[in-house]
Amino acid sequence: MDYTTIITTLLTCVFGAGAWKFYTYVIKTKANQRTETIDQHNVYRDDLRKRVEKLETDKDNCIDELSELKAEVAALRMKIEFLEKK
Amino acid sequence: MGYFKRIKDILTYYDYEPLIFFVALYDFIDLSVVLLGLDEWNCNFFQVFDVWRFYDWMPFLYWLGSILILITLNNKKWLAPLITFHAIQSLVYLVDAYILDRAGIFEDWGWWSYQWVFDLTSQLFWGFAWIWILFQMKKKELYQRLGL
């Protein structure tokens, strides 16, 4: 085994290890970006869920109020009809 | 073309463990024939082994490496360093085959020159195969660690 073989093998190993480090760095960066995007999507989804929940509660309240108003309007209509006949 | 596409698909979509098994098995059988075969003095490799000779250690370690790879096929902790060692050895063989064995090959082109080209090509293939396996192994480990 002469020096050329030793040096060539060592250089290939060093450059190979360097290339692997670079590849690892690129993959890790991509994975982090992907995680960040997923986190952002999750935050947006949670926000939407909260808003939908709030709107559903508001809708139920509005339906209740509407029912009460309808009943009052019906009662008032009956009263007006009765007064008009009188 | 369908044949090469099939090979490409296998290398792309299939896992590397069966490849390790068959390549290591080939190495083991090939080297066993060489090391246990008898020379003109009716001696095998181990009977003429010289502990001070680097080129006696190389095939022996390569042979031992292939046995250990076959044994530790289901143990990734041991398999990764063994394959790294095997890949580096393939690289040393490749560089040696190109640098040391080419004396007079180009000046006096003949039968031995073709033999040299054949040896170099086969060594290039095996070196590439082991480095590819090592890369795939490390890549899978990295992807699993990152949860990809």
Side-chain angles (χ1 to χ4, degrees), chain A residues 1-2 4-6 8-9 12-13 20 23-24 27-28 30-31 34, chain B residues 54-55 88 91-92 95-96 99-100 135 138-139 142-143 145-146 148:
Chain A
M1 192 182 195
D2 67 346
T4 320
T5 313
I6 296 169
T8 314
T9 310
T12 314
C13 287
W20 172 250
Y23 179 76
T24 312
I27 295 293
K28 274 184 181 170
K30 274 186 186 172
R34 191 169 160 266
Chain B
F54 176 77
Y55 291 102
I88 291 171
L91 195 68
V92 172
V95 177
D96 260 2
I99 294 171
L100 295 185
F135 176 70
K138 289 285 188 187
K139 190 178 157 191
L142 177 71
Y143 273 60
R145 201 171 64 231
L146 294 174
L148 293 171

Side-chain angles (χ1 to χ4, degrees), chain B residues 11-128:
Chain B
L11 290 175
T12 309
Y13 303 115
Y14 285 59
D15 232 335
Y16 56 82
E17 277 92 353
L19 191 66
I20 295 177
F21 174 73
F22 285 112
V23 175
L25 192 68
Y26 170 81
D27 277 351
F28 171 68
I29 293 168
D30 187 44
L31 273 168
S32 296
V33 171
V34 174
L35 300 186
L36 299 172
L38 300 175
D39 60 12
E40 59 260 47
W41 295 284
N42 228 19
C43 293
N44 67 26
F45 171 82
F46 297 101
Q47 289 169 304
V48 292
F49 189 86
D50 180 359
V51 287
W52 302 108
R53 208 175 114 79
F54 176 77
Y55 291 102
D56 275 4
W57 278 104
M58 279 287 276
F60 173 65
L61 291 177
Y62 205 76
W63 183 69
L64 199 66
S66 61
I67 295 171
L68 289 173
I69 285 171
L70 288 171
I71 292 169
T72 59
L73 205 59
N74 61 340
N75 189 339
K76 278 181 188 165
K77 195 184 157 193
W78 283 96
L79 197 59
L82 281 171
I83 288 181
T84 309
F85 182 68
H86 228 59
I88 291 171
Q89 262 198 311
S90 300
L91 195 68
V92 172
Y93 268 131
L94 177 65
V95 177
D96 260 2
Y98 181 71
I99 294 171
L100 295 185
D101 301 341
R102 68 170 176 175
I105 291 287
F106 296 111
E107 292 80 9
D108 188 18
W109 191 263
W111 164 247
W112 289 109
S113 310
Y114 289 111
Q115 185 72 38
W116 175 76
V117 171
F118 178 74
D119 283 349
L120 195 68
T121 313
S122 67
Q123 200 49 55
L124 192 70
F125 173 78
W126 290 116
F128 179 76

Side-chain angles (χ1 to χ4, degrees), chain A residues 77-86:
Chain A
R77 192 176 285 150
M78 287 297 291
K79 270 186 187 173
I80 290 166
E81 275 177 21
F82 177 73
L83 287 170
E84 276 176 353
K85 278 180 189 171
K86 213 173 179 182

